[in-house]
Amino acid sequence: DIEPYLRPDHAVDPRASWNEWASAVEQLSSILDGAVSVVVPFWMMEDEDGAAALERVAGKVTAIAVMAYRTNIAEVERIAEGWLSWGQTHGLPVAIALENGPIEAEYHRSYVRAERGELLLDRSAAPQTVSLLDGYISNSLNKLVYSFTNEVFVNPKRISFLDNRSKLDPAVAGLGRILGSWSSIDLLLVHELLPWGGRGEPDVWGPE
C-alpha cells in the first residue's frame, strides 16, 4: 500500500511520483523474486500518469485491491466494473474495498491563476514548492500566484459507512450479487469492520 499522492510534491510532478511508485513495485518484485499485491486508489486509472504506471507494473503484480471508498452503491459498481474489466484483460484478480472506519470531514479548496493571490507555486529552484500564504503577493515569472475561488465540503458519509451496519450489510450483499459474475473478482474487503479501536484482519467476501 504505497500512496505517492499523499506527498506534498505529488501535485507538482505527478508523472515522476507515479514513476517512483512503479519503480518501488518493480524493486519489491525483484527482491521477493515474485509478483506482489498492490493497493491502489479507485481514481488511478482515470489519471493518465497513474494509468501508465499501472500498465508498467502489470507483469509484476499478482493481485490488486482497489480502495473504492464510496457509500453510493451505484458509484461503487461503476468504479468496480472499470477495474474488473482491466483485471480480466490482464488476467489479474481484483478486490474491491469499502471504508467503514471513522474519518474526518474534508474541505476541497480551489485556486486559479491570478495577478495577486495567497497560493504560491515557486519554480525558481528545485524541487518546486507550493505554499499557502497569510497575505497576498504578486505574480512573477518563476513564482506563479493563485487566488482562492471556492470551497467544497466533502461529507464523510459519502466515503465511509461509519459503522452503520444497517447500510453496510445490505451494501455488501448487493455488491456481492452484482460483482460476483465477473471472473476477475477476488474479494470484497471492508476496512475497519471490527469495532472502532479494535484490531484484526478485514472481513471479506469471496465468490463461491
Side-chain angles (χ1 to χ4, degrees):
D1 186 2
I2 306 171
E3 300 178 303
Y5 43 86
L6 297 181
R7 300 189 319 185
D9 60 346
H10 177 81
V12 176
D13 193 350
R15 177 171 297 180
S17 185
W18 280 119
N19 279 337
E20 289 179 2
W21 174 88
S23 294
V25 173
E26 290 172 337
Q27 290 175 41
L28 282 171
S29 176
S30 177
I31 291 171
L32 298 172
D33 194 25
V36 297
S37 298
V38 294
V39 180
V40 297
F42 71 86
W43 48 263
M44 185 176 181
M45 283 200 298
E46 299 171 6
D47 181 290
E48 181 179 352
D49 299 315
L54 188 66
E55 291 292 336
R56 173 178 159 184
V57 302
K60 305 292 184 180
V61 171
T62 187
I64 291 179
V66 180
M67 294 182 286
Y69 290 172
R70 291 293 182 266
T71 54
N72 182 297
I73 299 309
E75 194 170 356
V76 175
E77 181 183 357
R78 179 190 63 80
I79 292 168
E81 287 183 346
W83 281 96
L84 292 170
S85 177
W86 188 91
Q88 286 192 173
T89 300
H90 293 77
L92 291 172
V94 176
I96 302 298
L98 304 177
E99 176 62 75
N100 187 54
I103 59 174
E104 296 183 0
E106 295 182 5
Y107 293 87
H108 294 179
R109 297 170 63 90
S110 298
Y111 295 81
V112 296
R113 282 291 305 278
E115 290 300 317
R116 286 178 56 79
E118 65 273 38
L119 186 72
L120 172 67
L121 170 58
D122 189 348
R123 303 190 303 183
S124 60
Q128 301 179 41
T129 59
V130 177
S131 304
L132 185 61
L133 310 174
D134 291 332
Y136 288 82
I137 64 170
S138 297
N139 189 52
S140 66
L141 182 62
N142 290 319
K143 297 184 177 182
L144 308 180
V145 169
Y146 297 78
S147 179
F148 171 75
T149 57
N150 68 292
E151 181 177 80
V152 176
F153 168 67
V154 180
N155 194 323
K157 291 182 179 179
R158 182 189 176 196
I159 300 169
S160 173
F161 286 91
L162 300 173
D163 207 29
N164 185 336
R165 298 305 177 89
S166 65
K167 291 185 177 180
L168 174 64
D169 292 345
V172 170
L175 285 169
R177 291 190 297 270
I178 293 169
L179 305 180
S181 60
W182 286 86
S183 62
S184 54
I185 187 68
D186 186 18
L187 302 167
L188 272 181
L189 306 176
V190 182
H191 183 232
E192 295 279 5
L193 186 64
L194 295 179
W196 292 351
R199 294 184 178 275
E201 294 298 319
D203 192 40
V204 298
W205 166 90
E208 297 179 355

